[in-house]
Amino acid sequence: MRGARGRAGCGEGARAQADELLVLVADGDHRAFEDLYALVSGPVYGLVRRVVRDPAQSEEVAQEVLLELWRCAARFDPGRGSALSWILTLAHRRAVDRVRSARAAGEREQREALRGGEPAFDQVAEEVEAGLEREWVRRCLQRLTDLQRQSVTLAYYDGYTYREVAERLSLPLGTVKTRMRDGLTRLRQCLGGAA
């Protein structure tokens, strides 16, 4: 992944460039896709990494997102937002899907193990660890303002997009994005003490 180039590409100029490139990619322009890949691969990987956590799976999910970007670029509607926002929404959804899929697979394995009368390997330790993590996240969420907590919960636990969160809370999209950014920053700081 080209994290350094993609990370630098988060300014307004890069947003406009991403909009232009995505339109060209929708027309099948390979060179435009190379440029778009270089521009967004860092932010895509960074977002996926924060959700999935595992570096190898994060790389895999990021590559899936970028492949989907090539195949589905024509679905992008510039009237509904920037290309970068659309791409990061694809990345977030794909990352959440991967986490949910992994969780469901783990639960299936546990059910199968219980049917066979054998507890899953280190099931007690895993349950204790998960309980501690949930409690830590709960405590950190309580440190957020009500609006930050509602926004983060709707987006990351219920799977709503920023626009859907804004609609559900009857707030301007910009306000939700700001509260979300501030809330995630505070959560990151709080959860940093859990490591």
Side-chain angles (χ1 to χ4, degrees), residues 134-169:
R134 278 193 301 273
E135 182 59 32
W136 192 270
V137 169
R138 221 177 274 124
R139 286 182 187 168
C140 289
L141 279 170
Q142 292 305 314
R143 294 180 182 177
L144 302 180
T145 67
D146 287 341
L147 183 55
Q148 289 171 341
R149 185 173 35 260
Q150 287 174 317
S151 299
V152 168
T153 301
L154 286 170
Y156 290 92
Y157 290 103
D158 296 339
Y160 290 104
T161 65
Y162 285 8
R163 186 174 308 281
E164 291 168 336
V165 171
E167 290 170 5
R168 289 185 65 85
L169 298 177

Side-chain angles (χ1 to χ4, degrees), residues 4 11-12 24 33 41 43 57 79 85 88 105 107 111 115 126 150 152 155 159 168 174 191 193:
E12 286 305 313
L24 295 171
F33 181 71
S41 62
Q57 282 202 33
S85 295
L88 293 178
E107 290 170 0
R111 281 194 303 271
R115 278 190 204 137
E126 288 177 17
Q150 287 174 317
V152 168
R168 289 185 65 85
L191 292 172

Side-chain angles (χ1 to χ4, degrees), residues 14-93:
R15 288 180 190 275
Q17 184 181 7
D19 289 348
E20 294 169 11
L21 289 171
L22 191 53
V23 170
L24 295 171
V25 170
D27 290 335
D29 187 326
H30 291 273
R31 178 70 182 151
F33 181 71
E34 289 175 19
D35 293 341
L36 184 62
Y37 182 99
L39 187 68
V40 302
S41 62
V44 165
Y45 176 75
L47 178 111
V48 170
R49 179 77 164 86
R50 284 190 298 274
V51 175
V52 176
R53 293 191 165 199
D54 177 74
Q57 282 202 33
S58 296
E59 283 187 20
E60 187 177 310
V61 171
Q63 289 298 330
E64 289 172 6
V65 169
L66 294 165
L67 181 61
E68 182 178 358
L69 182 60
W70 170 253
R71 289 192 314 243
C72 302
R75 289 191 344 220
F76 169 64
D77 179 4
R80 297 187 69 194
S82 73
L84 188 57
S85 295
W86 185 72
I87 293 166
L88 293 178
T89 299
L90 289 176
H92 181 260
R93 287 180 179 163

Side-chain angles (χ1 to χ4, degrees), residues 110 122-136:
Q110 285 184 352
D122 262 350
Q123 180 178 353
V124 172
E126 288 177 17
E127 287 176 10
V128 168
E129 185 177 333
L132 291 172
E133 286 177 4
R134 278 193 301 273
E135 182 59 32
W136 192 270

